Amino acid sequence: MTTRRTFLQHAALLTAGALVAPSALLAKPTQKVGIQLYTLREQISKDVKGVIGKVAKAGYNEVETYGYSLQNKFWGLEPKAFKQLLSANKLTAPSGHFGFDDYIGAGKDEDLKTYIEAAKAIDMKYVVVPYLGDKLRQSASDYQRIAERLNTAAEACKAAGLGLAYHNHDFEFQKFDNTTGYDILLNETDKELVKFELDLYWVVRAKLDPVTMFNANPGRFVMWHVKDMDKANPKLNTEVGSGSVNFRKIFDQASQSGVQHIFVEQENFSIDPFKSINQSYAYVKKNLL
């Protein structure tokens, strides 16, 4: 029979173990599962309300937006109206992808102001830089300039109560002498202000290990794109759990990453997209969280 003394001894051991190895008790990210809406780009441009409803029905708790503009807003909806649509479906949008090429390349600070206003209206936590045009990233000095602009943008976001994050593809891992564009961004941005959204597919496709990246820069990868790689053709995506990315290994080191939000993403399909997002959600929820 377990006595009170035995119980307290076991509790003390567990507490001590947690102090030595906190990842043992904090090995998984939040139980919420999100989706990057770019996954359903062909559908959402035609029926934003219907797509949001199907995303919620599939079980997702969060969405990540993309493509906001002053002209089209969020797929034709003003930020407040889009926020109401999300709330009606019990969804939140903790982050959004916003185009930064003009801000970085042409110094259009007004673009950032517009993004911050839209993000605040949706109750986002992060404004995300999703991509860099070819002309912006031809040299190490180009990436140094990008890092400088990201620091400036992060200051503006902080003043508005937001965070700034950078989302990768694989081109950032191109070598410039003894460094890469991604290393420059990590090393020359403010560690407290500029965070990263790690696209796990693109990291693996670049033949790198996400866990190694977590260990080198703990706490900086606050969001992930959970996107799987087709086993037969690495250039294609597939449903999470059906491909070659070892997600179990990655999720086991979630605390080292600092991840707060995970977003399923898939850019191409061999089955119906809505069946696909249901399948990916089920795998993540059952096997990874």
Side-chain angles (χ1 to χ4, degrees):
M1 180 180 295
T2 301
T3 65
R4 182 175 183 273
R5 181 178 179 183
T6 303
F7 172 81
L8 291 173
Q9 288 173 338
H10 288 169
L13 287 171
L14 283 171
T15 302
L19 291 172
V20 173
S23 61
L25 295 181
L26 298 172
K28 302 297 183 184
T30 172
Q31 294 295 307
K32 292 182 178 179
V33 183
I35 186 169
Q36 164 52 257
L37 292 173
Y38 187 75
T39 301
L40 301 168
R41 59 195 176 279
E42 294 184 9
Q43 293 78 21
I44 199 168
S45 62
K46 301 171 185 175
D47 181 14
V48 59
K49 293 181 180 180
V51 167
I52 293 300
K54 289 180 180 179
V55 164
K57 187 176 180 181
Y60 291 91
N61 313 106
E62 300 178 334
V63 301
E64 183 174 54
T65 66
Y66 76 93
Y68 175 82
S69 70
L70 271 176
Q71 295 73 33
N72 193 45
K73 313 297 181 183
F74 290 104
W75 303 283
L77 294 178
E78 292 286 344
K80 288 185 178 180
F82 185 64
K83 172 68 164 59
Q84 290 171 351
L85 174 63
L86 294 179
S87 297
N89 286 278
K90 295 182 172 60
L91 294 169
T92 58
S95 63
H97 282 197
F98 298 89
F100 268 75
D101 278 16
D102 286 342
Y103 170 83
I104 292 170
K108 289 189 176 181
D109 290 353
E110 61 271 22
D111 283 4
L112 179 59
K113 181 180 179 181
T114 297
Y115 300 158
I116 288 174
E117 289 173 352
K120 292 290 287 182
I122 304 296
D123 288 339
M124 290 182 181
K125 305 302 180 187
Y126 290 97
V127 170
V128 182
V129 182
Y131 183 79
L132 297 171
D134 291 353
K135 293 181 180 179
L136 296 177
R137 49 179 169 86
Q138 295 298 306
S139 65
S141 61
D142 284 346
Y143 276 98
Q144 291 169 339
R145 164 65 175 165
I146 293 163
E148 179 183 340
R149 289 296 279 165
L150 293 185
N151 282 329
T152 302
E155 289 282 2
C157 287
K158 179 184 179 182
L162 294 165
L164 182 82
Y166 180 89
H167 166 270
N168 67 282
H169 290 76
D170 62 347
F171 56 74
E172 294 92 347
F173 304 112
Q174 176 186 348
K175 284 280 189 179
F176 297 104
D177 293 326
N178 294 321
T179 190
T180 67
Y182 204 74
D183 286 337
I184 292 170
L185 296 181
L186 282 166
N187 294 329
E188 298 197 18
T189 55
D190 188 319
K191 291 179 171 57
E192 298 301 317
L193 296 183
V194 179
K195 302 301 183 180
F196 289 80
E197 179 176 64
L198 203 65
D199 190 307
L200 302 175
Y201 164 85
W202 285 113
V203 172
V204 173
R205 185 163 162 183
K207 302 188 185 307
L208 298 171
D209 179 14
V211 173
T212 299
M213 296 174 71
F214 301 162
N215 291 334
N217 292 276
R220 290 198 81 182
F221 304 100
V222 297
M223 292 175 284
W224 296 345
H225 274 189
V226 181
K227 181 164 56 182
D228 214 340
M229 180 182 294
D230 186 84
K231 292 178 180 178
N233 184 354
K235 294 182 178 180
L236 298 178
N237 302 154
T238 189
E239 288 65 44
V240 179
S242 299
S244 58
V245 178
N246 186 350
F247 287 113
R248 290 179 184 271
K249 173 188 173 184
I250 296 168
F251 273 71
D252 280 346
Q253 298 302 316
S255 62
Q256 186 77 344
S257 163
V259 68
Q260 301 165 6
H261 304 281
I262 61 171
F263 300 105
V264 168
E265 185 184 37
Q266 189 163 331
E267 297 187 35
N268 42 71
F269 301 92
S270 60
I271 63 175
D272 175 78
F274 292 109
K275 180 178 179 181
S276 173
I277 68 167
N278 274 271
Q279 182 175 324
S280 289
Y281 172 85
Y283 182 85
V284 172
K285 194 69 174 177
K286 180 178 179 181
N287 298 283
L288 300 178
L289 295 179

